Amino acid sequence: MAATSPVAPCDIIVFGGTGDLARRKLLPALYLRDRDGQLAADSRIVAVSRAGLDDAGYRDKVSAELRDHLPSGSYDEAAASRFLARIHYVSIDVAEKGSWLTLIALFKDAPQRVRVFYLACAPRLFGSICSGLRAGSLVTEQSRVVLEKPIGHDLASARRINEEVGAVFAEEQIFRIDHYLGKETVQNLLVLRFANAMLEPLWNSGSIDHVQITVAETVGVGGRVGYYDSSGALRDMVQNHLLQLLCLVAMEPPNRMDADAVRNEKLKVLQALRPLTGDEVHHRTVRGQYTPGLVEGSPVPGYTEELDGAASTTETFVALKAEVQNWRWAGVPFYLRTGKRLEQRASEIVVQFRPVPHSIFPGISDGAIATNRLVLRLQPDEGMRLHLVTKEPGPGGVRLRQVPLNLSFAETFKSRLPDAYERLLMDVVRGNPTLFMRRDEVEAAWEWTEPIHAAWADSRHRPQRYAAGTSGPTAATALIERDGRTWHEEESA
Ligand code: BG6
């Protein structure tokens, strides 16, 4: 069971309270923290949206959603009724001054409590919500605001949002969430690197040939087509989740686990990324879009069918080759890929070590000895595997075989791995921003991805088609194979 050191009494106000994120992720995460005794007795959750509901109507909805979205076996009748009693619902039209009054009235008796304003709504509303909070005198010293991604659409819009929010909240009150940083396996990457002395001496271009970061999903865009079609995989996944993973792999050791120490190091990695511009974008990136196919045995429509047949050049798949230009990583490519409607859900970081310099084994040439590889599995089957070369048992000479040392978190720790939002929401209440993105990081990530978009937009090429249920466009295979390497495909456990 997750650790349950209680957090201070708080009010958590979720804008976008009837939205997908609130229903699928935030409320289930808060329920689980409450069930495990982490929320103080009088903490409240206030859902805000435009829908005309009252407390009872909203609680009924949440009660049904919890059963749908909680991990099996987590729903407990008594815990759920205590949780539902904490919930209030307020209907607001952000643009209408008068409609804020009910929300303002809810807070007049609790000025000292921690207030978390969670903006789980479209980023174009962030500025007006923050102005509304200020106009209603709702922002206190103990307040924090959480910004869901995407923070903008490009560098200019991200800057504008950061300015608007920054006019109301101080930077240390702003929590820009990237839920990948709350995943247990992602935090474990920091522990693996900085709590094990044996890896750090090898963690550089002297021993590492290349790194692969894959986030493969089987889901399509489902009910999010409106958002997704104006976003695409580069904005939706690479600009944030994949670049954050790259930062954690590539960063220098911070001197302590402190918000600014960690984020300073991540920022340096983003700033050291070799810019991809112009023609080079076409050599080093691949974008794809899924067509109808079979995913996990079921037929699924293609992306444009999900858009009701409208033509679209939005990418649902990206693969690219990045480089971090510094002493540690010079010459070590980082291959990134992510896509929807792929063959299987599998997210992993693969650190591929260099081959041995010389074979001493008779009949086995230098190149025939498999190389060591560390695979950090983010989901599913969280864990890590270190692939080593061993002697196959038996007489008749030395035969080499690569076998994995396997650490499965489920088997080793025998406990539920908490969802990323559980950890991150409690960090916000505690006021700990270590696992959140700072303004300069978000802007640096946009700065790097923007020229890729620009080159794609100028190009006469369209995204390459790939059938749903496959591993993506063949050009993504070619991208890595051109360099004499292959994508890692983990054999099942
Ligand atoms: C979100 C993206 O940030 O992350 C989604 O907007 C994506 O498109 C999701 O499906 C993936 O998250 P997870 O935790 O399921 O890997």
Side-chain angles (χ1 to χ4, degrees):
M1 179 167 293
T4 52
S5 45
V7 294
C10 59
D11 289 322
I12 301 176
I13 304 98
V14 182
F15 285 83
T18 50
D20 192 61
L21 182 77
R23 293 183 294 116
R24 282 192 314 112
K25 291 288 184 184
L26 303 181
L27 289 158
L30 288 168
Y31 161 84
L32 287 165
R33 294 298 82 231
D34 188 22
R35 185 202 64 177
D36 291 357
Q38 208 162 8
L39 293 187
D42 55 348
S43 291
R44 296 181 296 180
I45 295 160
V46 182
V48 179
S49 88
R50 286 171 60 152
L53 290 165
D54 58 10
D55 286 356
Y58 186 74
R59 285 176 188 161
D60 284 348
K61 274 179 175 298
V62 175
S63 164
E65 299 278 357
L66 285 180
R67 290 170 209 262
D68 285 350
H69 299 302
L70 281 170
S72 68
S74 315
Y75 186 85
D76 172 87
E77 209 58 67
S81 68
R82 189 184 63 206
F83 178 68
L84 292 173
R86 296 180 184 283
I87 298 183
H88 301 266
Y89 179 81
V90 179
S91 166
I92 289 190
D93 178 348
V94 171
E96 255 194 53
K97 237 172 148 191
S99 76
W100 284 79
L101 296 176
T102 329
L103 187 69
I104 295 170
L106 266 182
F107 292 101
K108 67 178 184 333
D109 297 330
Q112 303 310 327
R113 287 155 67 98
V114 169
R115 279 180 200 169
V116 174
F117 298 105
Y118 199 119
L119 311 193
C121 50
R124 66 188 153 74
L125 298 174
F126 290 179
S128 29
I129 292 176
C130 290
S131 316
L133 293 174
R134 181 174 50 193
S137 302
L138 287 167
V139 182
T140 57
E141 267 184 29
Q142 285 300 313
S143 295
R144 339 201 188 288
V145 65
V146 185
L147 308 184
E148 252 304 329
K149 63 162 270 278
I151 296 176
H153 190 73
D154 52 17
L155 181 57
S157 54
R159 282 195 175 132
R160 196 166 52 245
I161 290 171
N162 282 329
E163 289 299 328
E164 288 170 351
V165 176
V168 177
F169 291 91
E171 178 63 26
E172 57 277 13
Q173 293 178 298
I174 305 174
F175 289 69
R176 296 176 191 81
I177 200 162
D178 182 316
H179 78 279
Y180 267 59
L181 295 178
K183 289 184 188 279
E184 281 291 323
T185 36
V186 175
Q187 292 168 56
N188 211 2
L189 179 55
L190 288 176
V191 176
L192 177 76
R193 285 197 57 198
F194 304 128
N196 292 289
M198 60 178 273
L199 283 177
E200 192 52 25
L202 303 177
W203 210 257
N204 54 51
S205 60
S207 305
I208 294 177
D209 177 73
H210 74 277
V211 175
Q212 301 180 14
I213 301 178
T214 298
V215 177
E217 299 184 278
T218 49
V219 292
V221 293
R224 299 163 76 220
V225 276
Y227 150 73
Y228 197 88
D229 199 50
S230 61
S231 170
L234 189 66
R235 290 188 178 94
D236 185 51
M237 298 293 289
V238 178
Q239 188 269 348
N240 35 76
H241 306 325
L242 277 86
L243 286 186
Q244 286 293 319
L245 296 177
L246 184 153
C247 285
L248 296 180
V249 174
M251 71 197 248
E252 294 300 314
N255 70 328
R256 60 204 144 95
M257 189 68 183
D258 153 280
D260 274 330
V262 171
R263 297 185 299 176
N264 288 343
E265 296 307 334
K266 288 198 289 158
L267 177 65
K268 286 185 211 159
V269 174
L270 292 168
Q271 290 170 335
L273 283 173
R274 177 162 176 263
L276 290 183
T277 51
D279 267 357
E280 210 178 19
V281 170
H282 303 298
H283 297 303
R284 289 176 172 246
T285 71
V286 171
R287 56 181 170 145
Q289 191 185 76
Y290 60 83
T291 56
L294 271 187
V295 175
E296 291 164 342
S298 307
V300 297
Y303 179 70
T304 51
E305 282 76 35
E306 293 193 279
L307 286 177
D308 289 333
S312 168
T313 54
T314 299
E315 76 289 353
T316 59
F317 177 99
V318 179
L320 59 83
K321 177 178 170 184
E323 275 173 60
V324 180
Q325 292 182 302
N326 61 19
W327 274 42
R328 186 188 284 265
W329 296 113
V332 178
F334 284 72
Y335 299 97
L336 274 46
R337 65 176 169 164
T338 182
K340 295 212 181 282
R341 286 286 191 230
L342 296 177
E343 198 173 8
Q344 52 172 331
R345 177 170 179 254
S347 301
E348 62 193 16
I349 298 172
V350 178
V351 179
Q352 175 68 61
F353 290 89
R354 291 192 185 283
V356 292
H358 165 70
S359 168
I360 63 164
F361 304 103
I364 301 177
S365 63
D366 297 351
I369 301 182
T371 40
N372 299 134
R373 143 183 302 203
L374 176 67
V375 181
L376 303 162
R377 181 83 165 185
L378 309 184
Q379 58 196 25
D381 313 323
E382 291 85 348
M384 56 180 96
R385 286 177 177 209
L386 178 61
H387 295 258
L388 298 172
V389 178
T390 55
K391 175 185 175 298
E392 223 176 77
V398 176
R399 287 182 304 277
L400 305 184
R401 195 141 114 230
Q402 197 185 41
V403 286
L405 270 182
N406 193 1
L407 169 62
S408 149
F409 292 163
E411 278 171 30
T412 307
F413 299 107
K414 303 213 181 332
S415 64
R416 177 183 76 86
L417 295 183
D419 185 74
Y421 282 97
E422 291 179 57
R423 159 79 197 251
L424 295 175
L425 279 160
M426 295 303 97
D427 277 0
V428 179
V429 178
R430 290 192 194 95
N432 178 2
T434 309
L435 298 176
F436 293 80
M437 295 179 293
R438 213 166 49 189
R439 173 178 180 162
D440 45 12
E441 279 181 82
V442 173
E443 294 182 2
W446 278 123
E447 219 166 317
W448 189 74
T449 46
E450 206 169 71
I452 303 177
H453 275 124
W456 285 349
D458 279 351
S459 158
R460 58 193 163 74
H461 302 295
R462 299 172 56 83
Q464 317 231 351
R465 304 279 183 252
Y466 63 97
T470 63
S471 58
T474 47
T477 312
L479 175 84
I480 193 166
E481 289 188 351
R482 269 203 306 268
D483 295 344
R485 303 177 172 113
T486 50
W487 291 109
H488 172 76
E489 306 298 344
E490 185 78 36
E491 65 284 7
S492 20

